[in-house]
């Protein structure tokens, strides 16, 4: 399909539940039409709200430091902060969405094909009550086990009671994050992206407000209460849109009083997606475990470097957040070719973006870290160490993005598959073994190199397995397409680093390095035929033609 064309109409054979007879019915489209303009606008809105949420997250961290300092109270809260960190990955960002978006896509396809009753409501009836009970049970168990959780995670805390109190408050986010993730998956399957993209704005707003309103009375417990309140806001901000979709239109051929059988949860699928997300999140625990034996500051250098370096990867995957429901819907309609074209196009568009960001990170790492962090107790030596780590981290950003794109191809069909879990586990094993081997030299960059190597192994395994287990992506054309922006990045990075090192101030160096990276990367990318680069120069060519017309007429 041509990149500028709209997807073909849905004309696949209808999906039927067990015991139903297939019949030809006209398809009814409830979702917005999928055009390039729709995708661009939705991706822009999603990215803009994500950036706003990230800025609020920075304000949240600054408020925590301002109100409660960096003493034992803050340490106690950060131990409890582990719960929402893991819950966000498992229940909102990766795990739950990989199972629910395809399930809702299949239900929407069956509704459009005129299946009696409402398959979407039957899916909700069969999954939401059970999942809500499971989320509540896990959250309650974590609250009860908070003393043992704190003792295992941070046995050296001087005031474990405070950490236990905070953990019991943050344990509520298991339920709220689970419901927020469920709402977000359902809305994205309906091609409604505004409310799901706004949840972290509501979440951070809740935490910041709680700290300033209750901090004087409750101390750092107010931040933990803010996590609980923010989790509730994540659900509330999506409810109006979700209720509207649940009251949505039915196909004209559906019997008004027909009732479909309640669809049960796919437990094996849930297990595979949650284990994959857990394996991926465990990279952070492995890095902190390995760095704990290095000199003081190693964990901090890893933390700061990773947060900055992963920004390009996060932005590059925004498009995939929008297109994942489209891939799942294509497979639900039996249109494998449309799903494959979408996946290949996502890879071709995400790779240049993440490589451009990675190139800027490599070229301007010292200037970036100095501008963001070098003040107070964060010294020039910390800047140099963090910049070195960040440059090594950046070497794995392409693999991080490829992994994020490809894993959707495995789970978009809505079937349990253990291959992605195995690929991620293999990468984790490489990360741990290589990190344990290199950490003996006392260099924190070895841990970053182990991370980059491990995630690259995972990306290669996922790409190699797509033909039989996921969407059948054409490997050779994809690799050929990825090599083009990679070649541009290899040249642009040293050129940008050279330019960034010439000015005396970090701000001037960052401006010079970023400008050099942009010009070199775009010029080489256009020359090499990278997808999406030619349109970037279209306004420049148009302006040049207009100027020439004015000057030469």
């Amino acid at each position: 399909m041509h990149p500028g064309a709209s997807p073909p109409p849905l004309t696949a054979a209808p999906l039927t539940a067990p015991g139903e007879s297939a019949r030809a019915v006209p398809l009814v489209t409830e979702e917005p039409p999928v055009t390039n303009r729709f995708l661009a606008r939705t991706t822009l809105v999603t990215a803009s709200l994500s950036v706003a949420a990230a800025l609020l997250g920075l304000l949240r961290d600054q408020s925590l430091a301002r109100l409660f300092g960096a003493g034992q109270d803050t340490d106690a809260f950060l131990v409890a902060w582990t719960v929402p960190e893991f819950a966000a990955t498992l229940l909102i960002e990766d795990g739950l969405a990989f199972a629910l978006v395809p399930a809702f896509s299949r239900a929407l396809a069956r509704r459009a094909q005129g299946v009696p009753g409402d398959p979407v409501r039957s899916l909700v009836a069969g999954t939401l009550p059970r999942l809500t009970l499971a989320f509540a049970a896990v959250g309650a168990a974590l609250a009860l086990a908070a003393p043992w959780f704190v003792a295992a995670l941070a046995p050296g805390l001087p005031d474990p009671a405070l950490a236990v109190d905070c953990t019991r408050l943050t344990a509520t986010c298991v339920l709220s994050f689970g419901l927020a993730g469920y709402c977000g998956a359902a809305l994205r399957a309906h091609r409604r992206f505004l409310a799901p993209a706004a949840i972290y704005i509501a979440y951070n707003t809740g935490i910041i407000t709680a700290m300033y309103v209750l901090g004087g009375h409750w101390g750092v417990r107010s931040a933990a209460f803010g996590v609980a309140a923010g989790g509730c806001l994540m659900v509330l901000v999506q409810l109006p849109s979700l209720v509207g979709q649940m009251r949505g239109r039915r196909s004209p051929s559906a019997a008004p009083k027909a009732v479909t059988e309640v669809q049960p949860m796919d437990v094996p699928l849930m297990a595979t997606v949650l284990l994959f997300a857990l394996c991926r999140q465990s990279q952070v625990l492995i890095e902190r475990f390995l760095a704990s034996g290095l000199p003081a500051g190693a964990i901090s250098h890893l933390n700061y470097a990773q947060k900055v370096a992963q920004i390009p990867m996060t932005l590059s995957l925004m498009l995939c957040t929008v297109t994942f429901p489209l891939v799942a819907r294509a497979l639900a309609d039996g249109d494998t070719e449309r799903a494959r074209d979408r996946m290949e196009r996502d890879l071709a568009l995400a790779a240049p973006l993440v490589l451009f960001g990675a190139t800027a990170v490599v070229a301007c790492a010292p200037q970036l870290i100095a501008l963001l962090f070098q003040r107070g107790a964060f010294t020039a030596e910390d800047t140099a160490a963090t910049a070195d780590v960040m440059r090594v981290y950046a070497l794995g950003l392409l693999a991080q993005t490829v992994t994020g794109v490809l894993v959707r191809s495995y789970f978009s069909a809505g079937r349990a598959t253990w291959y992605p879990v195995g690929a991620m586990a293999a990468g984790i094993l490489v990360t741990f073994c290589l990190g344990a081997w290199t950490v003996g030299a006392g260099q924190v960059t070895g841990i970053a190199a182990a991370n980059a190597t491990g995630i690259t192994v995972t990306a290669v395994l996922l790409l190699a397995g797509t033909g039989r287990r996921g969407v059948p992506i054409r490997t050779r054309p994809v690799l050929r397409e990825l090599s083009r922006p990679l070649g541009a990045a290899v040249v642009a990075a040293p050129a940008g680093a050279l330019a960034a090192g010439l000015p005396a101030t970090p701000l001037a160096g960052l401006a010079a390095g970023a400008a050099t990276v942009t010009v070199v990367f775009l010029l080489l990318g256009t020359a090499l035929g990278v997808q999406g680069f030619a349109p970037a120069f279209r306004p420049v060519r148009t302006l040049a033609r207009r100027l020439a017309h004015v000057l030469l007429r």
Side-chain angles (χ1 to χ4, degrees), residues 319-343:
L319 175 64
C320 300
T321 301
V322 174
T323 59
F324 178 44
L326 307 183
V327 175
R329 182 59 181 267
L331 292 176
D333 293 325
D335 195 342
T336 304
E337 183 177 354
R338 179 156 56 99
R340 182 191 65 193
D341 289 344
R342 182 70 261 173
M343 291 295 304

Side-chain angles (χ1 to χ4, degrees), residues 56-69:
L56 275 176
L58 178 61
L59 178 60
R60 175 201 65 208
D61 295 342
Q62 290 174 334
S63 299
L64 181 70
R66 176 182 178 183
L67 294 172
F68 309 114

Side-chain angles (χ1 to χ4, degrees), residues 185-201:
L187 288 171
R188 284 194 290 269
H190 284 83
R191 299 175 191 165
R192 298 296 188 271
F193 297 93
L194 180 61
I199 59 174
Y200 285 111
I201 294 178

Side-chain angles (χ1 to χ4, degrees), residues 199-215:
I199 59 174
Y200 285 111
I201 294 178
Y203 174 63
N204 287 322
T205 299
I207 298 175
I208 294 170
T209 302
M211 285 194 294
Y212 279 103
V213 173
L214 303 174

